Amino acid sequence: MRLHSLALRDFRGVKDRIVRFRALGTTVVVGDNEVGKSSLVEAFRLIFDLPDDSKSTRIRDIQPVGQDVGPEVTVELSLAGRELTYAKRWLKNRSTELTVVEPGGRRQSWTGREAHNEAERLFHANVDPVLWQTLMVSQGQSLVLPTPADAEPLITAVTAESGTPVDGASMPLVTAVEHEFLRYWTPRGKPTGDFARSAKSVDAAELAFKQALQAMEEVQSDIRRAERLNLDLADVSTRLTDHLTGVEALRERKQATDEILLRRDSIRSRAETARARLENHTRTRLERERLLDEVERFTKTEAELTGRRADADLVAKKAAETVQAAEAALAEVVELKDLRRTDVQTAERRVSDLMDRAELDRLVGQQTELVDVRARIAAAGTILDGIKVDDALVAALEDARAAVVEARAALAAGVPEVSVRRLGAEPVELSGTGLEGNVPSELGFDESTEVLVSGELVVGVPGQVEVTVRAGGEAATLRSRVDDAVRREKDLLKKAGVKDVAAARELLRKADTASAELNEARRTEKSLTAGGDPGERIAVLTARLRVGETAEDSGGKQPAVEGVPGQMSLFAEFTEFESSHDTLFDDFDEPGPKPGDLSGAQRVLEEARSGLADVERLLTDAEFAAAQARKAADEDRSEAQNARARSELAGERLAAAVEALESARSVLDDEAVAVAETEATAEVEAVLEELTAVQEQADEAGADQVAGELTHALAVATRLQGERDNLRDALRTTEGRLEQSGRDGLATRRDVAELELAAVRTEHDSLLRRAEAARRVHETLSRHRAEAQTKYSEPLQSRIEALGRSVYGPSFRVWLDDDLAVAERELDGVRLPVEALSTGAQEQLAIITRLAISHLVSTGEGSVPVIFDDALGWSDKARLRDMGALLGRAGDHGQVIILTCMPDRYEYVPKATFIKLDG
């Protein structure tokens, strides 16, 4: 199949477009995104897939949004020697037209559904769908490696080239063996069909026979169980009768001991009451003793705390006096510190004024230097602004000059040179076009000239002879090159504003010098202004120094600063430093420094700071002493308050204890409390003696053990009764099963199950022998087919390696799997699976594989175009060059169509036809 042209109308965003392709060769269709490149491939698919009355959403998707129009596609192609013109329009004014021109020239036409059916029949009869899908790479699928094992044209091609049958056996035999194998086994080798059902029947028969045998064994087991249950029931019944006799004896014994236990319980109750009364009297006595102890203890504590309270008040008073004295001393030290701080501030102002004046002198000099540097920057900038020449322009001029010289040399070598000389008296006239140099219109006597003729030269002697010299066709080309080179040189000289290359070089040298001067001056300017603009700092310092001047000092003026252009307005004259600061340090006892002496002022400042530090240390000591005194006074005051509170609390506790003691004595005096406790003790001892006598009687009769023995005996009787009942139930159940088994005929069931098992086993064994035979034949044939497949895959492998070596070099090798897909690649001795390759390498390998397939099937009737939509997006510059050459060679024996929005990727494709799609 060869695709000649494809026309689209009202298809997605395409209004009307026709694209024609080379039948043999590489066609590159170039267009921006969304211009409709991928729509070409989609249109070709739709015209063969869907009739014009289709309601598919694929058709709705291609209709332009908001337009009531019918998408239309027309395709011209060659198919098995026939020339087809196939047109179809969907949705609105639907139509289908097919015209076929047979190899002999006979023309046939169809319309409507008949045209669709005939086109579909021709396409599917002559185009293998697997090969078509393999060689058509849609957008975003360039990384998918093809698996063309099911492409019939490729298999036919590799079979013809390798000389090996595809299957290793005749297709009818292969089909029969495959059919017989699938009667018994699934493709994965598991039983299926009658064979699987026979195996399940054997399993079911074995299960039925096993269940019948198990039922017979259960009958025998029930017989033995019934005999054992009868014996166990008789034994349990005898044991239960004997045990009930003993239970009656225990009941009679318990009735005899219940009277003793009742009397013991009554005495125990009286004993507990007496003991509780004794405990109450004991608690009353202990509480009375506690109250007496508290009254005595609180009386002593109250007297002791009263004395401590008086001592604490005296100490707190003395601490308050100490605090007042410490705070008075602290106030004196604070006043002294303020005086010393004033001295330090005065000295700091003096030193600051002297340092500002020194900084002002330095900045004035720096400002003078900065003005000079800025003048140099302005001069260099003026020079650079007037120069239009740069390195690139000079290089272009030199190249243009070389091109002129080269073109003129080629012209001199490629055109004729004519030498003319006047010998006689008759004038010789010269004229023409395309003449090199200054050619005179007429030669004087014995005068000669040499002319390079790139066009036409006419040499004439009026009235006698005329000679015309014409250059060949190559001369016009050479002359055009000379004119172009000269024109380019003039344009560059005009752009540079110079007359020749030497002048341009001289200007470039001047520009380099001025640029170096400019850079050096700017570095100096940057260094001078690193701390800010000196002029601003000068103005600040001048204003600060003028604030410090006194009214009487303003009479003496200082000369204005000179030599600083542009800076005289930044500050005014100011008085001499010596006369403006002679009274700053009058508060110091030491002799003051000389006027303007910075070191002396700094020494005075250090001495003032040292005195301030001494006072600050003294202040710290005074503050610490005052703080300690306050802390001690606070502690003494707190201690006095605590002593007062403890004393008051002790008095309250003593009063409460006395009140509680008096209240208790009003109820019962101290002597009555002791008498009541003694009487309660005697009562408890009498009751305990009576309880001991009754307990001895109960122990002799064993009254406490009789109840437990009777409870245990009753539990045993209950257990034996339950055991007897369980045995009776189990015996009835077993006898019922035996009776039912006799009615079911279990022996007959076992015999029938055994016969059925033998029958299904015989049938399964027969199927098993046939299934195993089919498996062995299938495995043998598959092994031979695999060996044959290895042989017929060799042509495709060789073709891929031949194409790949033109890109990667002689070390390139590949290995194919059973589906003829590339599984591994070797390069420079390194063998890797395809999945481990880089994205670019995978894409290149997929393209090489498809070109190899196209090369193998290109000579057959089943060949199809190779279509790449937006490929080579992951390749570097070198790979693009090699892949471009490969795509160009692929077009020599097949049709290659490339759709791209990046034409630069395919600039290395030789002999490619580029088609530009506009939006």
Side-chain angles (χ1 to χ4, degrees):
M1 182 183 71
R2 291 290 182 266
L3 181 61
H4 300 300
S5 70
L6 193 60
L8 277 67
R9 181 175 296 164
D10 296 326
F11 193 99
R12 291 194 185 275
V14 178
K15 182 62 179 177
D16 193 357
R17 173 178 296 145
I18 182 170
V19 181
R20 302 189 182 278
F21 306 98
R22 294 174 55 183
L24 186 66
T26 302
T27 303
V28 181
V29 181
V30 180
D32 296 333
N33 290 330
E34 299 184 1
V35 79
K37 302 185 301 300
S38 300
S39 296
L40 297 174
V41 180
E42 184 180 10
F44 190 80
R45 287 175 173 171
L46 288 176
I47 196 172
F48 283 99
D49 288 349
L50 300 177
D52 56 21
D53 58 353
S54 173
K55 304 299 182 181
S56 173
T57 55
R58 295 170 61 189
I59 299 300
R60 292 293 179 185
D61 290 343
I62 64 174
Q63 184 182 32
V65 177
Q67 300 182 32
D68 187 18
V69 295
E72 184 176 349
V73 177
T74 302
V75 60
E76 296 179 0
L77 68 153
S78 300
L79 198 61
R82 303 178 181 87
E83 299 294 330
L84 277 69
T85 301
Y86 188 26
K88 184 176 291 186
R89 183 166 58 247
W90 293 274
L91 299 178
K92 190 174 182 64
N93 298 326
R94 302 192 306 271
S95 66
T96 303
E97 297 177 359
L98 172 64
T99 301
V100 178
V101 180
E102 299 290 341
R106 186 168 64 93
R107 178 185 298 270
Q108 290 181 285
S109 298
W110 292 267
T111 60
R113 178 53 70 98
E114 293 181 352
H116 173 80
N117 294 338
E118 180 64 16
E120 187 177 34
R121 184 189 68 79
L122 290 174
F123 185 80
H124 289 93
N126 296 280
V127 177
D128 182 76
V130 177
L131 182 64
W132 173 242
Q133 293 297 329
T134 299
L135 297 186
M136 183 175 62
V137 183
S138 300
Q139 191 173 29
Q141 295 181 345
S142 60
L143 297 178
V144 180
L145 268 75
T147 54
D150 294 332
E152 184 176 348
L154 176 63
I155 300 303
T156 303
V158 297
T159 302
E161 189 163 331
S162 65
T164 302
V166 177
D167 296 315
S170 64
M171 290 307 297
L173 175 59
V174 172
T175 303
V177 171
E178 186 75 17
H179 181 267
E180 183 66 17
F181 175 77
L182 294 177
R183 281 185 59 192
Y184 306 104
W185 307 97
T186 66
R188 295 182 177 273
K190 295 183 179 181
T192 186
D194 293 338
F195 181 46
R197 287 190 291 272
S198 175
K200 292 181 180 178
S201 298
V202 171
D203 294 339
E206 289 178 347
L207 179 60
F209 180 65
K210 185 183 296 184
Q211 290 174 347
L213 289 178
Q214 185 177 359
M216 289 299 297
E217 292 176 357
E218 289 177 354
V219 169
Q220 297 296 330
S221 176
D222 284 342
I223 293 172
R224 292 191 296 270
R225 178 180 177 81
E227 294 175 353
R228 187 175 62 254
L229 289 174
N230 278 317
L231 295 175
D232 291 343
L233 180 58
D235 179 62
V236 169
S237 298
T238 302
R239 288 162 50 199
L240 178 59
T241 302
D242 296 340
H243 185 71
L244 290 176
T245 304
V247 169
E248 290 300 325
L250 285 174
R251 281 199 180 99
E252 294 175 357
R253 182 181 170 191
K254 184 176 182 301
Q255 291 177 357
T257 58
D258 283 345
E259 182 180 354
I260 300 174
L261 295 178
L262 289 174
R263 190 167 65 253
R264 185 185 65 180
D265 292 340
S266 176
I267 296 173
R268 280 181 175 173
S269 177
R270 287 165 48 203
E272 290 176 358
T273 302
R275 189 179 294 110
R277 190 179 297 110
L278 175 61
E279 290 176 355
N280 288 334
H281 290 300
T282 302
R283 279 196 298 273
T284 301
R285 177 182 60 80
L286 294 176
E287 177 65 16
R288 185 64 51 84
E289 292 176 354
R290 184 186 67 78
L291 290 174
L292 292 172
D293 291 339
E294 283 187 353
V295 170
E296 182 179 0
R297 179 163 50 85
F298 287 155
T299 301
K300 293 180 180 179
T301 302
E302 196 271 340
E304 180 180 354
L305 291 177
T306 300
R308 290 182 181 178
R309 173 180 176 180
D311 295 340
D313 290 339
L314 180 61
V315 170
K317 182 178 179 181
K318 292 181 178 179
E321 296 173 355
T322 303
V323 168
Q324 291 177 357
E327 288 179 348
L330 177 61
E332 294 177 0
V333 175
V334 169
E335 183 179 358
L336 180 60
K337 178 184 175 182
D338 292 339
L339 295 174
R340 292 293 179 263
R341 182 181 292 110
T342 301
D343 296 343
V344 170
Q345 292 173 351
T346 303
E348 286 177 346
R349 284 195 298 272
R350 179 76 179 270
V351 171
S352 176
D353 289 343
L354 292 175
M355 292 179 68
D356 287 347
R357 181 53 193 262
E359 176 68 9
L360 180 63
D361 294 341
R362 184 186 67 79
L363 289 174
V364 169
Q366 183 175 332
Q367 182 68 15
T368 302
E369 184 180 0
L370 182 60
V371 171
D372 179 63
V373 168
R374 287 175 173 166
R376 288 165 54 199
I377 292 174
T382 302
I383 294 174
L384 290 176
D385 291 340
I387 296 176
K388 302 179 180 179
V389 178
D390 56 11
D391 290 337
L393 187 56
V394 170
L397 280 170
E398 292 176 345
D399 294 340
R401 176 76 270 183
V404 170
V405 173
E406 181 180 353
R408 285 177 173 170
L411 180 66
V415 301
E417 182 179 6
V418 179
S419 177
V420 181
R421 183 178 179 183
R422 178 179 172 181
L423 299 177
E426 297 297 332
V428 177
E429 298 177 353
L430 302 176
S431 63
T433 60
L435 305 180
E436 187 71 19
N438 296 321
V439 180
S441 60
E442 184 176 338
L443 292 178
F445 179 76
D446 201 26
E447 185 179 1
S448 64
T449 185
E450 294 180 352
V451 182
L452 291 174
V453 181
S454 60
E456 181 180 87
L457 173 65
V458 180
V459 181
V461 178
Q464 297 184 13
V465 67
E466 183 178 88
V467 179
T468 301
V469 179
R470 294 187 181 91
E474 181 68 20
T477 302
L478 296 174
R479 184 66 193 179
S480 175
R481 291 179 181 175
V482 171
D483 294 341
D484 291 342
V486 171
R487 188 182 308 108
R488 174 168 173 74
E489 182 184 28
K490 289 181 178 179
D491 291 342
L492 291 174
L493 290 173
K494 183 178 179 180
K495 179 180 179 181
V498 296
K499 64 179 181 178
D500 53 22
V501 177
R505 293 195 189 98
E506 179 61 23
L507 282 180
L508 182 62
R509 185 190 62 77
K510 290 181 178 180
D512 292 340
T513 303
S515 178
E517 174 68 15
L518 178 62
N519 291 334
E520 196 279 331
R522 283 177 175 170
R523 285 194 297 271
T524 304
E525 181 188 26
K526 184 177 181 181
S527 175
L528 293 174
T529 58
D533 191 352
E536 297 177 359
R537 182 64 177 163
I538 288 172
V540 172
L541 291 176
T542 302
R544 186 187 301 167
L545 290 173
R546 291 186 63 189
V547 169
E549 294 178 356
T550 58
E552 57 271 22
D553 292 333
S554 61
K557 301 293 183 179
Q558 182 180 359
V561 180
E562 299 179 356
V564 189
Q567 296 297 319
M568 294 307 295
S569 61
L570 296 178
F571 55 89
E573 299 176 353
F574 47 91
T575 59
E576 290 294 335
F577 183 85
E578 294 83 0
S579 61
S580 63
H581 295 283
D582 53 358
T583 61
L584 287 176
F585 299 92
D586 293 343
D587 293 338
F588 289 90
D589 296 336
E590 297 83 353
K594 294 180 180 179
D597 185 2
L598 178 60
S599 61
Q602 289 175 341
R603 185 172 59 255
V604 170
L605 175 60
E606 291 299 325
E607 292 174 353
R609 287 175 176 171
S610 177
L612 178 60
D614 293 339
V615 174
E616 287 178 345
R617 284 193 295 272
L618 182 61
L619 176 61
T620 300
D621 295 340
E623 290 176 344
F624 179 75
Q628 290 295 103
R630 294 191 194 100
K631 181 179 178 181
D634 291 341
E635 291 177 353
D636 293 339
R637 189 182 305 108
S638 176
E639 180 62 25
Q641 293 174 353
N642 291 336
R644 187 180 302 109
R646 288 196 297 270
S647 176
E648 294 175 353
L649 180 61
E652 292 175 358
R653 288 180 177 177
L654 176 59
V658 171
E659 183 179 358
L661 179 61
E662 294 299 328
S663 176
R665 284 176 174 173
S666 64
V667 176
L668 193 66
D669 58 17
D670 298 341
E671 184 178 356
V673 169
V675 172
E677 182 182 13
T678 301
E679 292 177 353
T681 301
E683 183 182 0
V684 168
E685 291 175 354
V687 174
L688 289 178
E689 289 178 359
E690 185 178 358
L691 179 60
T692 301
V694 174
Q695 183 62 45
E696 290 176 355
Q697 292 178 4
D699 292 340
E700 291 176 358
D704 293 327
Q705 290 78 21
V706 171
E709 291 174 0
L710 179 60
T711 301
H712 178 68
L714 291 173
V716 172
T718 301
R719 180 177 58 80
L720 289 175
Q721 288 174 351
E723 186 176 351
R724 180 191 62 186
D725 295 340
N726 290 336
L727 289 173
R728 284 176 179 173
D729 294 340
L731 181 59
R732 293 193 192 98
T733 302
T734 303
E735 289 175 347
R737 282 202 304 269
L738 288 174
E739 183 178 356
Q740 183 64 35
S741 298
R743 289 195 297 266
D744 290 343
L746 295 180
T748 303
R749 285 175 53 195
R750 178 195 61 189
D751 296 339
V752 171
E754 186 174 5
L755 291 175
E756 289 179 353
L757 176 60
V760 295
R761 275 180 176 171
T762 300
E763 181 182 359
H764 179 68
D765 291 341
S766 176
L767 289 174
L768 178 61
R769 287 191 298 271
R770 291 197 296 271
E772 290 296 334
R775 183 206 292 270
R776 286 193 293 273
V777 173
H778 183 267
E779 289 177 349
T780 303
L781 185 57
S782 298
R783 184 173 63 255
H784 288 293
R785 291 183 67 192
E787 294 173 356
Q789 185 181 24
T790 302
K791 294 180 180 179
Y792 76 71
S793 65
E794 183 177 355
L796 178 59
Q797 179 177 348
S798 301
R799 195 63 50 89
I800 294 174
E801 290 178 348
L803 296 178
R805 284 167 185 159
S806 66
V807 177
Y808 295 99
S811 64
F812 176 81
R813 291 189 63 193
V814 295
W815 282 265
L816 307 183
D817 59 15
D818 294 341
D819 293 329
L820 297 183
V822 178
E824 296 179 344
R825 186 206 72 178
E826 181 178 319
L827 190 63
D828 297 331
V830 179
R831 183 170 175 177
L832 294 173
V834 171
E835 296 79 8
L837 301 178
S838 67
T839 303
Q842 291 186 35
E843 183 186 43
Q844 295 153 17
L845 190 56
I847 293 175
I848 291 171
T849 303
R850 290 183 170 90
L851 294 179
I853 295 171
S854 174
H855 195 178
L856 283 171
V857 302
S858 61
T859 57
E861 294 184 353
S863 64
V864 295
V866 185
I867 300 177
F868 297 108
D869 189 358
D870 196 18
L872 291 179
W874 288 275
S875 299
D876 55 37
K877 197 73 172 178
R879 288 284 186 266
L880 287 175
R881 184 181 295 108
D882 297 335
M883 292 299 294
L886 182 61
L887 289 169
R889 290 195 300 273
D892 295 339
H893 54 75
Q895 185 180 29
V896 180
I897 299 174
I898 299 172
L899 309 175
T900 183
C901 60
M902 302 291 292
D904 294 346
R905 298 178 186 171
Y906 304 96
E907 62 180 347
Y908 302 106
V909 180
K911 298 180 290 185
T913 299
F914 284 81
I915 299 175
K916 175 66 175 177
L917 300 183
D918 297 326

